[in-house]
């Protein structure tokens, strides 16, 4: 017996639908305050259809487009839940409409000192930007700095973020050993 589309889903049903482990969904709840499943006695989670749609969009951005958690958080903050849900559904028309509905155009993320040199709100690598070409305009040529370094600020920030990700992976692996 299948549930109606409006029925609440358990964490196991959502995890199976999204092809994710349940602990990932619990972790995402700590990182994305927009995900608010209803909790019953004993802490049992029930996800609304809107929660499932949002989770699908987050999954799509993280796994298919290579965004970081900070990048998806920034997208949610600047564009809202409907934008991420539309990305998850692959609805390009809605994505474009929601992106152009923003008052000011999306500014380039700032790069601060080398210590906090991270760019958020962009993919780690240009895996597939077909949903987001309209946000950044034409394909930007990479920055080339003259002087000490031949690596642009954006590339440096992406390399720094990758290094942080690798160090976090190493830390987690060391805990397991």
């Amino acid at each position: 017996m299948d549930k109606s589309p409006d029925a609440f889903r358990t964490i196991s049903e959502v995890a199976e639908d999204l092809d994710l482990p349940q602990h990932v969904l619990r972790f995402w709840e700590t990182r994305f305050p927009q995900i608010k499943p209803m909790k019953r006695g004993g802490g049992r989670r029930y996800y609304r259809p809107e929660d499932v749609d949002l989770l699908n969009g987050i999954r799509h951005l993280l796994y298919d487009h290579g965004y970081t958690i900070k990048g998806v958080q920034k997208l949610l903050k600047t564009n809202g839940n409907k934008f991420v849900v539309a990305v998850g559904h692959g609805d390009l028309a809605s994505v474009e409409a929601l992106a152009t509905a923003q008052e000011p155009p999306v500014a380039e993320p700032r790069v601060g000192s080398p210590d906090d040199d991270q760019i958020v709100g962009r993919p780690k690598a240009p895996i597939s930007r077909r949903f987001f070409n309209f946000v950044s305009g034409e394909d930007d040529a990479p920055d080339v700095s003259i002087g000490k370094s031949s690596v642009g600020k954006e590339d440096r920030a992406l390399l720094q973020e990758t290094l942080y990700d690798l160090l976090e992976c190493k830390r987690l692996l060391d805990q397991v050993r």
Side-chain angles (χ1 to χ4, degrees), residues 76-149:
L76 282 166
K77 184 178 177 184
T78 58
N79 298 321
N81 292 5
K82 290 180 182 178
F83 180 83
V84 174
V85 169
V87 169
H89 288 303
D91 186 2
L92 185 57
S94 294
V95 171
E96 288 183 23
L98 289 167
T100 57
Q102 300 297 317
E103 303 90 35
V106 178
E108 277 295 310
R110 291 186 309 139
V111 178
S113 67
D115 295 332
D116 60 357
D117 204 9
Q118 286 190 351
I119 292 181
V120 295
R122 298 185 132 239
K124 287 182 183 177
I127 297 170
S128 169
R129 300 175 69 177
R130 66 177 184 258
F131 287 118
F132 305 105
N133 282 340
F134 57 87
V135 175
S136 64
E138 312 88 46
D139 288 334
D140 298 319
D143 293 339
V144 178
S145 60
I146 300 170
K148 295 181 193 174
S149 175

Side-chain angles (χ1 to χ4, degrees), residues 3-151:
K3 288 186 176 182
S4 77
D6 296 333
F8 285 30
R9 306 273 191 255
T10 63
I11 192 168
S12 60
E13 292 170 329
V14 174
E16 185 178 324
D17 288 346
L18 296 178
D19 194 27
L20 292 169
Q22 293 179 18
H23 70 271
V24 171
L25 297 176
R26 289 187 206 98
F27 173 73
W28 286 357
E29 285 178 35
T30 66
R31 296 297 183 247
F32 301 105
Q34 296 85 355
I35 303 170
K36 298 175 190 152
M38 188 177 78
K39 291 185 183 175
R40 299 292 302 227
R44 190 167 173 90
R45 291 167 169 80
Y46 290 97
Y47 291 88
R48 299 168 188 88
E50 306 84 51
D51 294 327
V52 176
D53 289 340
L54 182 60
L55 286 167
N56 185 40
I58 291 171
R59 181 193 181 287
H60 188 69
L61 288 168
L62 289 172
Y63 294 154
D64 298 338
H65 284 283
Y67 274 76
T68 62
I69 287 179
K70 284 186 179 184
V72 176
Q73 288 170 340
K74 182 160 180 120
L75 279 177
L76 282 166
K77 184 178 177 184
T78 58
N79 298 321
N81 292 5
K82 290 180 182 178
F83 180 83
V84 174
V85 169
V87 169
H89 288 303
D91 186 2
L92 185 57
S94 294
V95 171
E96 288 183 23
L98 289 167
T100 57
Q102 300 297 317
E103 303 90 35
V106 178
E108 277 295 310
R110 291 186 309 139
V111 178
S113 67
D115 295 332
D116 60 357
D117 204 9
Q118 286 190 351
I119 292 181
V120 295
R122 298 185 132 239
K124 287 182 183 177
I127 297 170
S128 169
R129 300 175 69 177
R130 66 177 184 258
F131 287 118
F132 305 105
N133 282 340
F134 57 87
V135 175
S136 64
E138 312 88 46
D139 288 334
D140 298 319
D143 293 339
V144 178
S145 60
I146 300 170
K148 295 181 193 174
S149 175
S150 62
V151 177

